[in-house]
Amino acid sequence: MSFWLTLRLAWRSLWRRKMRTLLTMLGMIIGVGAVIAMLSVGNGARISVEKEIAGMGTNTVMLYPGSGRRGGTRTGQGTGRELTMEDCLAIRELPNVMTAAPMLRGDVQVVFGSQNWATSYTATSPEYFVARNWPAAQGRVFNDNEVQAAAPVCLLGKTVKEKLFGSSDPVGQVVRLGAVPCQVVGVLETKGDASYGGVRDDMVLLPYTTAQRRMQRGRGLNCITVSARQADRVGSTQKQVMELLRQRHRVPEDEEEPYYAYNQAEISKAAGEATRVFTTLLGSIASVSLLVGGIGIMNIMLVSVTERIREIGIRMAIGARGADILLQFLVEAVVLSVMGGLIGIGLGIGAAYLLADVFSWPPGVSTGSVMISFVFSVLVGIFFGFYPALQAAKLDPIQALRHE
């Protein structure tokens, strides 16, 4: 018997029992759809995290003051040796360093006319925009002359701009940062939400000298952002920077590192590992429903064999071999799983896009996950359909014809 004739007979048999066929496929539909949706959620989360890390600046090392001691008590990060602008200038001279930018941070109430908004500010230098890959969407960034003069200028994040100015152009307007009037010279390009729940667009940038003279007291920096020249040298650049700081501040060899350093390569690697585990876990959980769907197919095929014993006997009596019977029932099982798989793929892709819209990240649907789900559905049909098909092929023709 030809394969195409067997396929047609299998389809006719399934079509005669439409409701049972649909209910049997439901397990595969849910299983395949769940696998694609969960893998897509994991991939979308990974893409979102990688995009966020890239948005913080490539090849970047972040330096923070370390913890201090009072007697035998550790006083926490930021209470030890401080970072200064002189440290930042020295770091820029290292051969592997492309640029380094000072950072001062704080909270501030921004006021324009009758509108006001509580936000945070970052005081820095023009190198910050290069290190963090963050250009101005409107206007411009402040320059070195404005930094040297401690000019009262600032850039607004998109959120701050919308809260104070709505759809109006803020460039050239004067806002008040606490008690300090500043002219808006630009609006930052939008960066979106951060993974920790904050909004990176909700901030104001201004020259660090302006903050030191008008908003804060002291020369210490909260952080220095260092950008390495090459991605494969971020680790070595971090070591060079830490050694330079030890030398500059005459830190004894037996004293622990006086500063904290985090580089984007390490953060990216850790985030990648975490999202891979997350994706694998989601895929494994969803795969259980595929096995449940396969068990459902086996159950229905065993019932089908029991119901069609006389039909099997008649086919054998007119010349059908055991291999023909085996093939027919195996094809029916595979058709059930493949049809359920195809419908599940469509539903899974739709669910992936819906979840991506809810969580505001890329859909993450990959060709690989779709192909794996489809192949798995075929294998499930073969694996769980083989036993019922083998039972049908082993029937004795005489006994089958006598069956009522």
Side-chain angles (χ1 to χ4, degrees):
M1 183 184 297
S2 70
F3 174 78
W4 295 110
L5 179 57
T6 302
L7 181 62
R8 191 169 66 179
L9 290 173
W11 175 257
R12 185 183 301 168
S13 175
L14 294 173
W15 185 253
R16 283 202 303 264
R17 301 170 179 84
K18 301 181 187 65
M19 182 56 67
R20 189 165 73 181
T21 298
L22 178 61
L23 293 175
T24 306
M25 288 193 305
L26 193 58
M28 292 304 299
I29 292 171
I30 294 173
V32 172
V35 168
I36 291 178
M38 293 301 99
L39 291 178
S40 299
V41 166
N43 288 334
R46 175 182 56 80
I47 294 170
S48 180
V49 170
E50 289 177 351
K51 182 180 178 182
E52 180 178 331
I53 292 173
M56 295 172 66
T58 57
N59 310 340
T60 302
V61 178
M62 308 293 291
L63 297 173
Y64 298 92
S67 60
R69 284 183 179 272
R70 291 181 181 175
T73 305
R74 191 181 298 275
T75 53
Q77 182 176 335
T79 59
R81 299 172 186 267
E82 67 178 15
L83 291 166
T84 65
M85 188 59 200
E86 287 73 20
D87 293 328
C88 185
L89 294 175
I91 290 171
R92 290 179 188 173
E93 299 301 319
L94 291 174
N96 287 345
V97 172
M98 181 173 68
T99 189
M103 293 173 63
L104 285 167
R105 289 171 172 160
D107 296 325
V108 69
Q109 193 80 18
V110 187
V111 180
F112 176 74
S114 61
Q115 303 297 321
N116 68 91
W117 182 249
T119 186
S120 62
Y121 70 85
T122 296
T124 184
S125 67
E127 287 77 12
Y128 176 88
F129 303 99
V130 177
R132 300 298 292 270
N133 188 28
W134 204 345
Q138 294 176 245
R140 61 176 178 86
V141 301
F142 46 80
N143 54 46
D144 288 325
N145 291 334
E146 290 168 327
V147 172
Q148 293 174 6
V153 295
C154 65
L155 287 91
L156 305 181
K158 184 180 178 182
T159 300
V160 180
K161 178 258 182 186
E162 291 176 347
K163 295 296 181 180
L164 297 182
F165 295 92
S167 59
S168 302
D169 185 2
V171 177
Q173 300 293 336
V174 176
V175 298
R176 186 157 45 87
L177 306 182
V180 180
C182 286
Q183 184 181 37
V184 179
V185 296
V187 177
L188 293 166
E189 186 178 88
T190 182
K191 287 284 186 177
D193 295 345
S195 60
Y196 48 78
V199 181
R200 287 177 292 178
D201 297 328
D202 191 2
M203 66 179 303
V204 176
L205 262 67
L206 67 155
Y208 74 93
T209 50
T210 305
Q212 285 179 330
R213 297 180 191 180
R214 301 173 183 242
M215 302 174 70
Q216 297 184 359
R217 293 294 181 264
R219 298 168 57 250
L221 304 175
N222 299 136
C223 174
I224 296 178
T225 300
V226 182
S227 182
R229 293 187 183 277
Q230 296 178 346
D232 58 355
R233 295 187 178 180
V234 173
S236 61
T237 301
Q238 179 176 321
K239 292 179 181 178
Q240 290 178 5
V241 169
M242 298 299 284
E243 182 60 32
L244 173 66
L245 291 175
R246 292 188 74 97
Q247 293 174 6
R248 284 184 51 79
H249 293 271
R250 297 181 175 87
V251 180
E253 290 295 331
D254 59 347
E255 184 177 327
E256 64 184 57
E257 291 291 350
Y259 303 99
Y260 289 99
Y262 307 95
N263 69 65
Q264 297 298 84
E266 292 176 351
I267 296 173
S268 179
K269 182 179 179 181
E273 290 295 331
T275 52
R276 272 192 290 273
V277 172
F278 176 64
T279 303
T280 302
L281 178 62
L282 289 177
S284 300
I285 294 173
S287 297
V288 174
S289 56
L290 269 177
L291 296 178
V292 173
I295 294 172
I297 289 176
M298 177 185 285
N299 182 49
I300 292 301
M301 293 308 298
L302 285 172
V303 171
S304 181
V305 169
T306 303
E307 291 177 345
R308 296 159 63 187
I309 290 178
R310 188 170 180 82
E311 174 191 332
I312 295 169
I314 294 173
R315 289 196 60 198
M316 286 182 169
I318 61 176
R321 299 168 299 170
D324 296 326
I325 303 299
L326 174 69
L327 182 61
Q328 179 184 349
F329 281 88
L330 189 59
V331 167
E332 287 185 21
V334 172
V335 168
L336 278 172
S337 62
V338 169
M339 288 175 60
L342 291 174
I343 297 173
I345 287 172
L347 291 179
I349 292 175
Y353 276 89
L354 179 62
L355 290 171
D357 185 61
V358 171
F359 293 110
S360 300
W361 59 36
V365 178
S366 66
T367 304
S369 64
V370 173
M371 292 302 298
I372 289 173
S373 299
F374 179 75
V375 171
F376 202 88
S377 68
V378 175
L379 294 178
V380 165
I382 294 173
F383 180 80
F384 287 99
F386 184 78
Y387 178 74
L390 186 62
Q391 292 298 103
K394 286 182 176 181
L395 287 176
D396 181 84
I398 304 300
Q399 297 297 326
L401 287 171
R402 289 176 178 176
H403 184 79
E404 294 296 335

